[in-house]
Amino acid sequence: MADEKLAKLREAVAGLGQISENEKSGFLSLVGRYLSGDEELIEWAKIHTPTDEVVVPYDTLESPPEDIEATKKLLDKLAVLKLNGGLGTTMGCTGPKSVIEVRNGFTFLDLIVIQIESLNKKYGSNVPLLLMNSFNTHDDTLKIVEKYANSSIEIHTFNQSQYPRVVADEFLPWPSKGKTDKDGWYPPGHGDIFPSLMNSGKLDGKEYVFIANSDNLGAIVDMNILNHLIHKQNEYCMEVTPKTLADVKGGTLISYEGRVQLLEIAQVPDVHVNEFKSIEKFKIFNTNNLWVNLKAIKRLVEADALKMEIIPNPKEVDGVKVLQLETAAGAAIRFFDHAIGINVPRSRFLPVKATSDLQLVQSDLYTLVDGFVTRNSARTNPSNPSIELGPEFKKVGSFLGRFKSIPSIVELDSLKVSGDVWFGSGIVLKGKVTITAKPGVKLEIPDGAVIENKDINGPEDL
């Protein structure tokens, strides 16, 4: 039955003129693995907590020599790659997420460019920036990158694969069933980075690539990590960081049959899900900051050896049930030699997934120097305040409209806002604050208000 399905699909895919032969074979190989159902199941009893040799504590890394020439030598082996395939739809934006303004009028992409420029300028190095786009972000990104034409850094863009969505009940590609616009296709997750990077021809002349999500403001080039990998000849390194209760769903690193492996919540048998989410047994999670040896990528892609766990992602689009199969870059760790994790400080994980994250990075909790977003030392609590904003704040435009200026939150523990709330300028929030506007009522927090450990339900509580 599976063979029959695959044969029909192969025939239909052969007729799709919009994608390359590489993409067709990559897609069919993914579907073939999915249909054969030979995904190895994790045996829970074989899972071990990785030792410090496998997940190296960051503070045990040796610093590289302070010598400018030696640092330049290390940096000349490096390329920086940002995953730029995502759209800012969750935050109400139509284009690539990386062009949302984060701080002082700078976008994610601006900050990334400024960081690499200042690094290259300081050491006289030539670290290029690679952007992996999806077909969703490609055209917009090309226009955006034009503004860096006079920048001193080399910027290369390439596209990740474009695969057809499969119509679930007939198991045929949606584009061959007449869905010819963008919705008929999908980018197959960032696990696709390795073949796409290889197909792009951008692998030459460098030794390591540092891969990170473009929305993670903490993912900056780290000399201690680079130095360690080059000296120890680690082919792959995943940055992990200690879990908090907010990160219980994040993938974690385990030792399994003598290799280091990523364990995602989707692979966990139901009876063990609570154990997986506990902070006691699985203390770290994947930040998706990855350092990978480029020769190793070439070797493994050519051998077709990167068979990462398949993530089936069923969706309903325009009333049609479709299936898209994806893979994650972190899952490739088990195929590389001398692969390690490094347990890094939380400051290297500062993603902006929602407007509540934007509020954190735009506030006085952070400062911006040379493109680097640095935490304010006046904040004594090591963890960030938890911020929950209601649906009125979900889109960037309405979020920005509701704040005359972003409140001071250096001494804030938690903030919960619901209803039609508007903030004046120069507001200070401390401790635990809840602000709830009654239905149909516009609640304005006046300029200069200082609110500490309060529940506010109307003007009378201010």
Side-chain angles (χ1 to χ4, degrees):
M1 183 67 193
D3 294 351
E4 212 174 290
K5 267 187 171 175
L6 193 58
K8 272 176 67 180
L9 190 73
R10 180 171 282 120
E11 200 177 313
V13 167
L16 296 174
Q18 303 92 321
I19 54 175
S20 69
E21 292 306 314
N22 276 336
E23 287 169 309
K24 288 176 188 177
S25 62
F27 171 69
L28 289 167
S29 143
L30 195 61
V31 176
R33 282 173 51 214
Y34 171 72
L35 287 175
S36 68
D38 60 4
E39 289 277 283
E40 299 156 38
L41 292 175
I42 295 268
E43 285 184 49
W44 201 253
K46 290 186 178 176
I47 290 178
H48 297 284
T49 304
T51 62
D52 282 0
E53 274 76 60
V54 179
V55 176
V56 182
Y58 181 83
D59 48 19
T60 64
L61 299 180
E62 284 179 40
S63 296
E66 276 297 295
D67 175 63
I68 284 205
E69 197 43 48
T71 308
K72 174 187 185 305
K73 267 198 183 128
L74 290 174
L75 282 172
D76 281 339
K77 295 177 189 284
L78 184 70
V80 172
L81 193 158
K82 298 286 177 169
L83 301 170
N84 192 47
L87 293 166
T89 38
T90 334
M91 295 164 77
C93 300
T94 50
K97 188 174 178 185
S98 57
V99 297
I100 291 174
E101 284 190 11
V102 186
R103 176 107 199 189
N104 306 19
F106 291 116
T107 65
F108 289 109
L109 214 46
D110 293 339
L111 295 178
I112 291 163
V113 170
I114 295 166
Q115 287 163 12
I116 297 178
E117 278 180 339
S118 48
L119 197 66
N120 284 341
K121 192 171 164 198
K122 184 173 175 185
Y123 296 105
S125 52
N126 176 25
V127 176
L129 170 63
L130 280 64
L131 298 172
M132 182 167 90
N133 300 315
S134 64
F135 61 88
N136 287 316
T137 58
H138 173 74
D139 295 349
D140 287 338
T141 303
L142 287 188
K143 289 192 198 89
I144 291 151
V145 169
E146 281 173 12
K147 78 173 193 184
Y148 309 117
N150 302 327
S151 154
S152 56
I153 63 170
E154 279 179 47
I155 301 178
H156 303 281
T157 62
F158 66 97
N159 270 18
Q160 74 171 110
S161 305
Q162 173 172 333
Y163 286 176
R165 284 177 163 155
V166 175
V167 179
D169 55 359
E170 301 172 70
F171 217 78
L172 285 171
W174 208 9
S176 65
K177 300 290 296 174
K179 186 69 172 169
T180 48
D181 64 5
K182 273 189 173 174
D183 282 342
W185 305 89
Y186 75 99
H190 47 60
D192 176 55
I193 187 163
F194 304 113
S196 295
L197 186 55
M198 176 93 179
N199 295 338
S200 74
K202 310 279 186 213
L203 279 177
D204 304 332
K206 298 291 173 182
E207 210 171 300
Y208 276 88
V209 61
F210 171 43
I211 301 167
N213 295 349
S214 60
D215 66 4
N216 179 6
L217 294 170
I220 57 178
V221 171
D222 184 289
M223 294 312 302
N224 295 4
I225 296 178
L226 181 61
N227 182 53
H228 183 87
L229 301 181
I230 288 172
H231 278 279
K232 302 276 187 198
Q233 297 188 316
N234 302 109
E235 288 189 345
Y236 188 111
C237 162
M238 174 187 288
E239 293 184 38
V240 292
T241 197
K243 261 191 203 181
T244 67
L245 289 171
D247 317 303
V248 291
K249 289 188 175 142
T252 191
L253 283 183
I254 55 171
S255 286
Y256 190 81
E257 297 186 329
R259 290 186 86 82
V260 60
Q261 187 159 331
L262 180 69
L263 177 66
E264 297 274 14
I265 194 162
Q267 296 165 280
V268 177
D270 293 349
V271 289
H272 296 291
V273 164
N274 285 341
E275 195 182 340
F276 176 82
K277 286 182 173 179
S278 87
I279 297 181
E280 279 69 53
K281 180 165 180 176
F282 299 102
K283 297 183 167 64
I284 52 173
F285 75 99
N286 170 21
T287 63
N288 219 33
N289 297 350
L290 310 170
W291 302 72
V292 193
N293 180 294
L294 290 163
K295 285 195 180 70
I297 293 178
K298 193 171 192 295
R299 181 187 80 231
L300 291 165
V301 171
E302 283 175 347
D304 195 19
L306 294 172
K307 306 217 184 292
M308 282 93 87
E309 287 76 12
I310 295 172
I311 307 157
N313 186 355
K315 294 195 165 203
E316 191 166 308
V317 184
D318 297 345
V320 178
K321 286 191 168 61
V322 294
L323 177 64
Q324 46 191 60
L325 303 177
E326 301 171 12
T327 59
I333 189 166
R334 64 196 179 96
F335 301 105
F336 288 83
D337 293 336
H338 312 297
I340 56 168
I342 293 182
N343 193 350
V344 298
R346 183 76 186 197
S347 58
R348 293 191 55 76
F349 185 65
L350 184 59
V352 179
K353 299 290 179 202
T355 49
S356 50
D357 301 321
L358 209 50
Q359 183 179 345
L360 288 174
V361 298
Q362 292 188 346
S363 74
D364 57 351
L365 200 58
Y366 290 94
T367 52
L368 185 64
V369 182
D370 286 343
F372 299 100
V373 178
T374 316
R375 208 157 177 273
N376 185 342
S377 54
R379 167 105 177 155
T380 45
N381 182 343
S383 58
N384 279 345
S386 83
I387 295 181
E388 274 182 64
L389 302 174
E392 295 79 4
F393 291 82
K394 187 176 173 172
K395 295 187 168 177
V396 177
S398 35
F399 161 82
L400 294 171
R402 287 175 179 273
F403 288 99
K404 258 200 219 167
S405 71
I406 300 289
S408 162
I409 56 172
V410 175
E411 294 175 53
L412 178 71
D413 296 321
S414 67
L415 169 66
K416 197 169 179 178
V417 181
S418 43
D420 188 13
V421 179
W422 298 76
F423 291 82
S425 58
I427 291 167
V428 179
L429 304 173
K430 301 178 180 187
K432 287 188 170 167
V433 178
T434 309
I435 303 172
T436 313
K438 296 186 178 80
V441 178
K442 180 178 183 180
L443 177 56
E444 300 191 36
I445 312 296
D447 295 353
V450 176
I451 304 173
E452 185 167 1
N453 292 323
K454 262 190 178 172
D455 280 349
I456 290 169
N457 297 297
E460 64 284 355
D461 300 327
L462 284 159

